[in-house]
Amino acid sequence: MKPLTTVRIMKALIGNQLSRSFISSLGRRCEADGADRFEVAIDLMMGARKEACAACTLAEKGLSGMLTAGAMGFGIDRADVIEALRDPHWRRGMVNVMRGIGTFGVQRPFVPGAPFQVVWDVTYGCNLRCRHCYASAGSPHPDELSTDDAHRVIDKLSDWGVPIIAFSGGEPLVRSDILDLARHAHEKGIYVAMATNGTLISEHKAKEMTEAGVRYLQISLDGADAATHDSFRGIEGAFDRTVAGIRNAVNEGFFTSISITATRANLAAVPDVIDLGTRMGVNWIMVYNFVPAGRGRDLLDIDLDPAEREELLRLLYRRNNGSKTQVLTTAPQFARVALQSCRGGSFLVPTHFYNLNVDDKLLNLTEFIGGCGAGRFYVAVRANGDIDPCVFFPHSIGNALTDDLGTLWANDKLIRDLRDKDLLKGNCGQCEYRYHCGGCRARAYGYFDDPLAPDPGCIKNAEVHRSMLIDKIG
């Protein structure tokens, strides 16, 4: 399914008061049918369920009519809606959208019923020693969840309605039961992704991963040559093994993304990494912000200054024009740069999950889905089950094994504060682009121990950046 189709359906769902009121009325579980009425109604509409109670049957008729009428107003018809929802992962995501409307109403930015993605550091064991590792990975921790407990967490995430689990680390492939965990998540209907350094992805391992249900691979590559990459990764020969892993991933048919953390040490290499990834046939290039977490806390001097980051984002925006390989970034300022570069017609508005080409009808929706997703579109789970707003944000709000996930999602103060862009301090709270961007909250926390502080990486916070450098580096 094309993501823009999903965006159009989402617009139809939240674009008028009648549809929002109707969806809110469905926000309860049907004991007769054993599922939320949202889920039952969509299953009936798709033919995945043949019978349901009278209330759920009525809900399906109302939902079907609402989607058909609303979606037609944005250029798609009923057949497009049905086709869009045929993929069970996208259907799971749409149920999550409706649960969010039912639970939280329509907020700016939008909050789904559960995070769209959970990034799970399943181990802190690793075969590399990366200089900037947010997890300070090396050896497994003694409190890492057992296989049985990890299965229980997967079950809870599935029941919560999480569409995507991304196994990370450390290096997830050094955990002996990782394919068992991936298979369990896949069998629960969850889209399975993995963030890896790629050095262990042989042709045989790639096939095993496919058979276990892994569909997306994000592979770290911090330079287009061995000298640059290996200096980051701490192990000689890592570059050649990573490139081989990327080729094996592409050949096996994974949706493959290369990730690069942009710093002063490799800034000049970013265009070369994009070119290399394009030649190898990867789907995405994801350019990560440097965040001072883990071992990165001792590397503040390699972070880009606001002017360097601004120029990089403009380069990334230009590289998306006419390219089959999408260039994305975790820097939320990318949306502002894109909007400032738009010149009528359609607009390329990047989000963390996709670069959306939208027209005037859909442009205002980007305020609902854009910006930092920490505690809103994703959360992190640590190897012991602790839950953080994101992997770069080491502040636990609970534990996935022992706590009620829905209660944390709805009520935790830190999570609620992160979603409220009007609480942001300094220029971030006053910026006209705060709903599209809002700054990286992990960077604010890493630099100032305050998640609502200004992101010192933005050109609009250049003075904050200068003051911070004087205070922290001298």
Side-chain angles (χ1 to χ4, degrees):
M1 178 178 92
K2 294 182 179 179
L4 184 55
T5 302
T6 304
V7 171
R8 291 182 185 277
I9 295 173
M10 185 175 174
K11 180 68 173 182
L13 288 171
I14 71 174
N16 64 82
Q17 183 61 44
L18 181 62
S19 66
R20 295 198 296 267
S21 298
F22 173 72
I23 290 170
S24 295
S25 72
L26 301 182
R28 60 182 62 90
R29 181 176 177 83
C30 174
E31 294 302 330
D33 293 316
D36 285 0
R37 285 216 162 91
F38 298 133
E39 193 171 349
V40 176
I42 286 185
D43 283 348
L44 285 171
M45 191 167 65
M46 296 299 302
R49 183 188 289 259
K50 301 303 182 185
E51 296 180 348
C53 72
C56 286
T57 300
L58 182 62
E60 183 274 330
K61 294 184 183 301
L63 180 62
S64 178
M66 183 194 70
L67 283 175
T68 299
M72 285 178 66
F74 295 96
I76 55 179
D77 59 22
R78 180 179 172 82
D80 294 320
V81 174
I82 297 299
E83 180 60 30
L85 295 176
R86 199 172 300 282
D87 185 318
H89 296 113
W90 285 104
R91 191 159 69 245
R92 189 182 184 93
M94 193 53 60
V95 170
N96 196 21
V97 168
M98 291 193 291
R99 284 175 176 159
I101 296 171
T103 302
F104 301 106
V106 178
Q107 301 182 20
R108 186 178 60 165
F110 179 74
V111 180
F116 280 111
Q117 176 173 276
V118 169
V119 182
W120 186 351
D121 292 344
V122 288
T123 182
Y124 295 118
C126 190
N127 59 331
L128 301 183
R129 296 294 182 271
C130 304
R131 295 171 58 201
H132 55 312
C133 180
Y134 68 81
S136 300
S139 300
H141 291 187
D143 61 349
E144 294 180 1
L145 296 181
S146 67
T147 301
D148 287 344
D149 283 343
H151 277 213
R152 292 186 185 96
V153 169
I154 291 169
D155 292 344
K156 291 181 67 173
L157 296 177
S158 175
D159 292 343
W160 193 17
V162 171
I164 303 169
I165 291 178
F167 293 110
S168 186
E171 171 50 52
L173 287 174
V174 306
R175 180 163 170 149
S176 61
D177 63 354
I178 186 60
L179 296 186
D180 174 72
L181 301 184
R183 186 175 293 105
H184 188 68
H186 174 68
E187 290 172 350
K188 286 288 184 177
I190 296 171
Y191 185 85
V192 181
M194 192 174 293
T196 168
N197 61 45
T199 60
L200 302 178
I201 305 176
S202 63
E203 291 183 12
H204 177 69
K205 180 62 71 175
K207 292 184 185 302
E208 286 186 326
M209 294 165 73
T210 298
E211 292 168 358
V214 180
R215 296 293 178 261
Y216 174 103
L217 289 179
Q218 179 174 280
I219 302 175
S220 300
L221 188 68
D222 284 311
D225 55 58
T228 305
H229 180 77
D230 291 358
S231 68
F232 268 88
R233 296 287 153 176
I235 299 292
E236 186 176 350
F239 175 80
D240 291 337
R241 292 162 61 194
T242 294
V243 169
I246 294 170
R247 295 191 190 281
N248 290 334
V250 171
N251 291 339
E252 181 62 22
F254 289 103
F255 191 107
T256 307
S257 172
I258 286 176
S259 64
I260 174 173
T261 301
T263 69
R264 286 181 168 175
N266 67 347
L267 181 59
V270 172
D272 296 330
V273 169
I274 296 173
D275 290 340
L276 177 59
T278 301
R279 290 196 301 271
M280 287 194 290
V282 305
N283 302 89
W284 285 356
I285 307 289
M286 178 68 74
V287 181
Y288 272 79
N289 255 339
F290 170 81
V291 180
R295 286 196 284 265
R297 294 185 67 85
D298 298 325
L299 298 174
L300 301 186
D301 58 315
I302 70 170
D303 193 9
L304 304 180
D305 66 33
E308 291 168 329
R309 180 170 282 99
E310 188 80 359
E311 182 55 38
L312 171 64
L313 295 179
R314 295 189 183 281
L315 166 69
L316 301 183
Y317 182 81
R318 293 193 299 269
R319 291 301 297 260
N320 273 312
N321 291 331
S323 174
K324 291 183 179 180
T325 300
Q326 289 282 295
V327 182
L328 300 93
T329 176
T330 62
Q333 294 85 6
F334 198 25
R336 171 187 53 78
V337 168
L339 289 167
Q340 290 175 333
S341 303
C342 290
R343 294 292 183 269
S346 64
F347 303 82
L348 176 69
V349 182
T351 71
H352 183 69
F353 296 99
Y354 201 77
N355 291 334
L356 291 170
N357 277 295
V358 298
D359 54 25
D360 289 333
K361 285 185 177 180
L362 296 171
L363 183 60
N364 67 337
L365 186 62
T366 61
E367 288 192 327
F368 288 87
I369 62 177
C372 177
R376 182 173 64 93
F377 275 178
Y378 50 82
V379 295
V381 174
R382 302 299 182 187
N384 66 353
D386 284 349
I387 302 172
D388 292 356
C390 89
V391 294
F392 300 105
F393 197 139
H395 185 110
S396 294
I397 64 167
N399 187 277
L401 184 63
T402 59
D403 289 322
D404 182 272
L405 304 179
T407 299
L408 290 175
W409 187 247
N411 299 324
D412 182 79
K413 184 180 185 305
L414 173 61
I415 293 295
R416 292 171 68 93
D417 286 351
L418 290 174
R419 298 167 182 167
D420 190 344
K421 304 304 180 185
D422 293 326
L423 292 179
L424 299 179
K425 300 175 182 178
N427 287 333
C428 283
Q430 303 168 14
C431 181
E432 62 181 302
Y433 296 101
R434 65 186 178 278
Y435 300 113
H436 294 99
C437 169
C440 173
R441 297 299 97 211
R443 285 174 52 82
Y445 185 78
Y447 276 110
F448 303 114
D449 200 30
D450 180 356
L452 302 179
D455 179 350
C458 179
I459 196 70
K460 295 190 172 204
N461 292 327
E463 184 56 42
V464 172
H465 180 265
R466 282 192 290 269
S467 298
M468 178 272 298
L469 287 181
I470 293 172
D471 180 57
K472 293 186 174 294
I473 298 178

